[in-house]
Amino acid sequence: MSDDTGAPRTDDGAGIPKPSSEPLVVLSDVNKYFGELHVLQDINLTVHRGEVVVVIGPSGSGKSTLCRAINRLEPINGGTITLDGQPLPAEGKALARLRADVGMVFQSFNLFAHKTILENVTLGPVKVKRVKSTEAKKQAMELLERVGVANQADKLPAQLSGGQQQRVAIARALAMRPKVILFDEPTSALDPEMVQEVLDVMVGLAKEGMTMVVVTHEMGFARKAADRVVFMSDGQIVEEAEPETFFDNPQSNRAKDFLGKILTH
Amino acid sequence: MGDFLQVLGEYDIAGAYWFNVKLAFFSGIFSLVLGTILALMRISPLPSLQWAGATYVNLVRNIPLTVVMMFAAFALWPQLGVTFSENLDQNFFWLAVWALSVYTASFVCESIRSGVNTVPVGQAEAARAIGLSFLPAARLVILPQAFRGSIAPLGNTFIALIKNTTVASAISVADISLVMKYMVDQHGNYVIPIFLTVAAGFVIIVIPVGLVVTLLSQRLAVAR
Ligand SMILES: Nc1ncnc2c1ncn2[C@@H]1O[C@H](COP(=O)(O)OP(=O)(O)OP(=O)(O)O)[C@@H](O)[C@H]1O
Ligand SMILES: [Mg+2]
């Protein structure tokens, strides 16, 4: 599942490969309004192939909107977003194709409620990528195995725990062999005892070199797996740094303030 | 009592009900198809389609069925030349099906739309996120769940349709209400038993439909 670009990767000791210097997702001067509300303000952000970027920030700062803009679930009002050098298409078939290259994992899992776990994972490959059904099933079972829910394949989503559902959602995203996966607070709807099982899967992906943009407040994950932390506040990127630097030595007052709040919790 | 049964025997009651059943059956299928298309238009991302769907529904829903039926018989066929069959009776039958379908479709559309509203937006977003465009996402993810959520209103719509088939008598389709009218004209002393008999026939036809609807809406509910 690694994006083999041939770019050199060194191991940094923690088992997380270093990202390449090849830009994969590039946002330039992105602006987005909800009516009067300026939710994304001149956002410039480059995510390199193999990089894991954690987005952190107070509620309402625009983190979800940023994620959703990258696969155009939210259209933007200004600026450009490119994926692998291609600008995001506006509508129709081309956009659907692009979305197939961008995986998305939602806070509320959003598994297809009327389909079994296996069908949830095979739907995209079969209907979008025209993979043969038998082949898609085989790959789906491998992915379900990998996220540890293969024994639930024939159940419906409502029969699974939140942690299991979220791992299925990750398998569903992986089944499309995306270039990048966006995670929007993947663990914040979970009971505390299920958070780790999902984070473990995500750390596994990071180790394999998957490009990931992760909105999360899980600092353990950020320290362990992130190459970079992006701190957002009021629709702006206020600070960007490696996890250690950001958490131990934040520069801006807004970041200090925010970290103070989540650390005392 | 024996006399009344003899009166009933003079008419092809079963044959007349059969017309109502056939009208309901064909109109049910066509209105389901047309109503689904209209619902798709109304939830589509294209404003022009949304507008066309909404206009259809708001127009047709507010016209009395009798007027739509008359339009079919006196304008659609003779003026606009829409002919379904060379056989005159057949032609009127299909004109009635046309009117019932066109009319019922607006209610089917709104029933399905209320079902669509029971499907969380996250379902559509997840479908788009794996690269499904509007129609496949609707067909594979949204409508299957929406239909289950709209079984109850759809059931009501179809029960109304079954009863509405009697309006076809306005354009002299030989359905049960037309036969009832002849019976009342010719056997005025039996007016009340005639009415009760015809009413009972509808109750017998409609009750099973209601039961099936209740059963389906319990069986097919989507667990979340
Ligand atoms: N569809 C919408 N219509 C109008 N306003 C919206 C919409 N979606 C989000 N907003 C507003 O935009 C702002 C940014 O929202 P966003 O969901 O991106 O924040 P967030 O950083 O993800 O917050 P949270 O941590 O609560 O998830 C908020 O003020 C929110 O109320
Ligand atoms: Mg959010």
Side-chain angles (χ1 to χ4, degrees):
Chain A
M1 194 49 63
S2 65
D3 307 270
D4 204 7
T5 60
R9 276 189 189 140
T10 51
D11 211 54
D12 66 355
I16 308 286
K18 280 263 183 289
S20 70
S21 56
E22 191 187 341
L24 181 61
V25 181
V26 181
L27 291 84
S28 352
D29 299 320
V30 170
N31 281 285
K32 164 81 187 171
Y33 296 82
F34 282 120
E36 294 283 278
L37 194 65
H38 199 171
V39 229
L40 296 180
Q41 304 178 14
D42 296 316
I43 299 289
N44 289 288
L45 178 69
T46 300
V47 181
H48 300 94
R49 207 182 284 276
E51 195 176 16
V52 177
V53 174
V54 160
V55 181
I56 197 168
S59 180
S61 55
K63 308 179 297 292
S64 295
T65 310
L66 179 76
C67 256
R68 294 161 58 82
I70 294 177
N71 69 352
R72 217 172 182 285
L73 283 178
E74 292 291 354
I76 54 175
N77 303 107
T80 56
I81 301 178
T82 60
L83 177 77
D84 224 354
Q86 302 289 319
L88 297 198
E91 281 303 332
K93 287 252 153 48
L95 177 61
R97 248 197 316 277
L98 167 121
R99 287 210 183 106
D101 284 340
V102 182
M104 178 121 190
V105 174
F106 301 85
Q107 180 173 356
S108 48
F109 331 133
N110 296 347
L111 293 181
F112 304 129
H114 63 307
K115 298 219 172 267
T116 65
I117 297 309
L118 184 63
E119 289 167 345
N120 262 275
V121 181
T122 54
L123 188 73
V126 172
K127 297 296 175 182
V128 178
K129 296 201 138 177
R130 304 284 164 203
V131 177
K132 275 221 271 324
S133 167
T134 47
E135 180 61 24
K137 274 188 194 149
K138 191 168 141 273
Q139 290 171 1
M141 284 312 295
E142 284 168 16
L143 288 168
L144 289 173
E145 193 75 54
R146 186 163 139 197
V147 300
V149 284
N151 54 346
Q152 315 285 332
D154 296 323
K155 292 193 180 163
L156 288 170
Q159 296 170 285
L160 270 59
S161 74
Q164 290 173 324
Q165 290 192 51
Q166 195 60 299
R167 286 182 282 149
V168 174
I170 294 173
R172 175 175 69 182
L174 287 173
M176 298 302 290
R177 301 182 182 280
K179 293 177 177 165
V180 49
I181 305 190
L182 315 169
F183 295 80
D184 188 4
E185 304 207 29
T187 59
S188 51
L190 296 176
D191 292 336
E193 72 271 19
M194 295 171 185
V195 169
Q196 200 52 47
E197 64 191 48
V198 172
L199 291 179
D200 286 346
V201 170
M202 292 167 58
V203 171
L205 289 180
K207 284 189 178 159
E208 285 165 36
M210 175 58 79
T211 312
M212 297 159 66
V213 176
V214 186
V215 178
T216 186
H217 292 169
E218 295 290 337
M219 280 197 286
F221 173 81
R223 282 182 187 271
K224 201 190 273 182
D227 297 296
R228 192 157 37 121
V229 173
V230 169
F231 174 70
M232 281 188 78
S233 181
D234 302 318
Q236 294 164 338
I237 293 182
V238 178
E239 210 169 317
E240 275 185 76
E242 292 193 350
E244 278 71 30
T245 321
F246 177 75
F247 290 120
D248 300 339
N249 192 13
Q251 298 300 306
S252 64
N253 286 334
R254 280 192 277 187
K256 283 178 195 162
D257 193 38
F258 173 75
L259 286 175
K261 276 182 196 143
I262 63 167
L263 287 175
T264 52
H265 269 209
Chain B
M1 190 62 195
D3 292 347
F4 176 60
L5 287 180
Q6 205 179 348
V7 168
L8 284 186
E10 291 170 24
Y11 300 88
D12 183 7
I13 305 275
Y17 272 118
W18 185 235
F19 261 109
N20 292 82
V21 171
K22 280 196 295 184
L23 284 168
F25 178 77
F26 289 114
S27 310
I29 290 175
F30 293 136
S31 63
L32 191 61
V33 173
L34 183 55
T36 305
I37 294 171
L38 288 167
L40 281 174
M41 289 166 72
R42 294 203 70 172
I43 62 171
S44 82
L46 289 179
S48 56
L49 286 183
Q50 287 169 14
W51 180 86
T55 306
Y56 179 103
V57 168
N58 290 323
L59 223 97
V60 174
R61 196 171 50 167
N62 295 316
I63 303 175
L65 174 57
T66 318
V67 174
V68 181
M69 196 65 82
M70 297 290 188
F71 174 84
F74 300 123
L76 189 67
W77 170 53
Q79 301 289 318
L80 304 175
V82 177
T83 310
F84 294 105
S85 169
E86 295 306 319
N87 176 317
L88 209 60
D89 286 345
Q90 282 289 311
N91 196 36
F92 271 100
F93 174 82
W94 289 111
L95 285 168
V97 168
W98 179 89
L100 285 163
S101 305
V102 162
Y103 176 79
T104 309
S106 62
F107 295 92
V108 169
C109 167
E110 293 306 275
S111 300
I112 291 175
R113 230 159 52 95
S114 78
V116 169
N117 289 335
T118 67
V119 183
V121 280
Q123 296 285 307
E125 292 191 342
R128 286 153 72 199
I130 59 169
L132 293 170
S133 45
F134 172 71
L135 274 179
R139 184 170 63 84
L140 298 165
V141 176
I142 309 305
L143 286 182
Q145 297 184 55
F147 275 123
R148 297 173 203 210
S150 55
I151 287 173
L154 273 180
N156 290 336
T157 303
F158 286 123
I159 287 171
L161 167 64
I162 294 172
K163 298 185 285 184
N164 283 340
T165 54
T166 53
V167 176
S169 64
I171 61 171
S172 42
V173 172
D175 86 313
I176 187 67
S177 64
L178 198 68
V179 171
M180 181 180 82
K181 188 171 173 303
Y182 295 149
M183 288 164 80
V184 170
D185 286 347
Q186 289 159 13
H187 301 278
N189 46 337
Y190 287 120
V191 167
I192 290 184
I194 290 170
F195 274 120
L196 289 177
T197 308
V198 170
F202 271 101
V203 172
I204 290 168
I205 294 174
V206 171
I207 281 180
V209 176
L211 290 178
V212 168
V213 167
T214 311
L215 196 77
L216 281 180
S217 58
Q218 285 163 358
R219 278 276 175 81
L220 297 179
V222 183
R224 298 203 188 279

